[in-house]
Amino acid sequence: MSVSRALAAVSGLAFIPLIFATPVSAETAEINYVALGDSYSSGLGTRDYDDSGDCKRGPSAFPELWAASHAPGSFDFVACAGATTTDVLNDQISALTPETNLVSITIGGNDVGFADVITTCRTGSDAACDERGEEAENDVRDLLPALLDQTYAAITEAAPQAQVVVLGYPSLFEMGPCGVGSIGEVKRERLNQMADVLAGGIEDRVAAAGLTYVDVRGGFEGNRVCADEPWINGTTVPINESYHPNKAGHSEGYLPAMTGAIG
């Protein structure tokens, strides 16, 4: 049964007399959920991790939060920090089965070197930032579509019943004052432009695959890096947590986006 049918069946329980009410934990018992993807799914940046390895999966990540609040029949969390589409195909797809009926994924940023773009903009000149951003945008247009098409096709082949929810990435920065040592406004604007190009590239391939795309950019506006209450880390120690959603980014940004897409 697909996740939409399972949730529809649950909604029908409202018309059954109270004596037959199903416990909350059983309402989504027919949902078998697998969370794939990269650091934006695994929870890198929340500083709350279950594993001691490099994947940085943790209970504050939005897939864990959704599973905790919805109690699906099964939940397999295999997203891993640093993952590319190749890593999803080689290391994560095996978690899917014909019984899987809900899949979430964030993927694509590492394939176009988004972390390297941020590093260049953090340490280099405005011109270097612009040049590296243009290279990444060319990769979004020329390289990424085939990689995403292959990944989405593999997911739907392995889990033909599944509703596949592809969540995008937020643009990272607010404009205006940002404190001593921060990335300058010209570079921040350039990085946000690149994030928009990446979002558009992912959305296009999701639509072509007939899957569900969730644009999270609007949900993070007002709470990005340089905001009074940011949901995204600025430059941090350890450095790999920089420019990733923090706990609030997952609970207030990604979780509502996920819930809004599937109920």
Side-chain angles (χ1 to χ4, degrees):
M1 177 182 288
S2 69
V3 64
S4 57
R5 288 184 180 178
L7 292 172
V10 170
S11 66
L13 294 175
F15 299 99
I16 301 175
L18 184 61
I19 190 172
F20 297 113
T22 303
V24 171
S25 61
E27 290 182 350
T28 51
E30 295 187 23
I31 296 178
N32 300 308
Y33 172 32
V34 178
L36 310 174
D38 56 20
S39 55
Y40 275 68
S41 289
S42 74
L44 177 63
T46 64
R47 304 197 170 192
D48 186 10
Y49 311 120
D50 290 329
D51 66 284
S52 58
D54 295 332
C55 283
K56 302 303 181 187
R57 290 186 286 264
S60 297
F62 77 85
E64 287 269 20
L65 297 175
W66 190 91
S69 61
H70 288 76
S74 67
F75 172 51
D76 200 354
F77 189 16
V78 296
C80 189
T84 63
T85 53
T86 298
D87 295 315
V88 171
L89 293 170
N90 290 343
D91 304 325
Q92 298 183 21
I93 289 289
S94 58
L96 303 176
T97 73
E99 287 70 45
T100 302
N101 52 16
L102 175 62
V103 176
S104 67
I105 185 170
T106 57
I107 202 68
N110 292 319
D111 290 273
V112 298
F114 196 48
D116 182 62
V117 176
I118 296 173
T119 299
T120 299
C121 292
R122 183 76 181 83
T123 61
S125 65
D126 289 353
C129 177
D130 183 61
E131 182 179 357
R132 183 64 186 90
E134 186 174 351
E135 291 174 359
E137 288 172 349
N138 288 335
D139 285 342
V140 170
R141 288 185 284 265
D142 301 333
L143 174 68
L144 191 59
L147 297 175
L148 293 179
D149 289 350
Q150 183 182 16
T151 302
Y152 300 151
I155 292 171
T156 55
E157 181 179 0
Q161 296 190 75
Q163 178 179 1
V164 181
V165 180
V166 181
L167 298 101
Y169 302 97
S171 50
L172 296 176
F173 298 96
E174 303 294 340
M175 297 298 109
C178 197
V180 176
S182 63
I183 296 178
E185 189 166 83
V186 171
K187 295 177 183 177
R188 281 183 268 150
E189 185 172 0
R190 185 67 183 90
L191 284 163
N192 283 355
Q193 290 171 353
M194 192 228 159
D196 289 340
V197 172
L198 179 59
I202 294 172
E203 183 175 13
D204 179 69
R205 302 327 302 160
V206 173
L211 308 180
T212 301
Y213 177 70
V214 183
D215 189 342
V216 301
R217 287 173 295 171
F220 276 82
E221 286 185 9
N223 294 99
R224 299 171 294 191
V225 179
C226 303
D228 291 337
E229 296 182 4
W231 294 352
I232 302 172
N233 297 326
T235 303
T236 65
V237 177
I239 195 67
N240 65 341
E241 296 190 335
S242 302
Y243 307 107
H244 283 79
N246 55 29
K247 287 184 178 181
H250 281 268
S251 64
E252 305 298 328
Y254 271 99
L255 179 60
M258 173 79 170
T259 302
I262 63 175

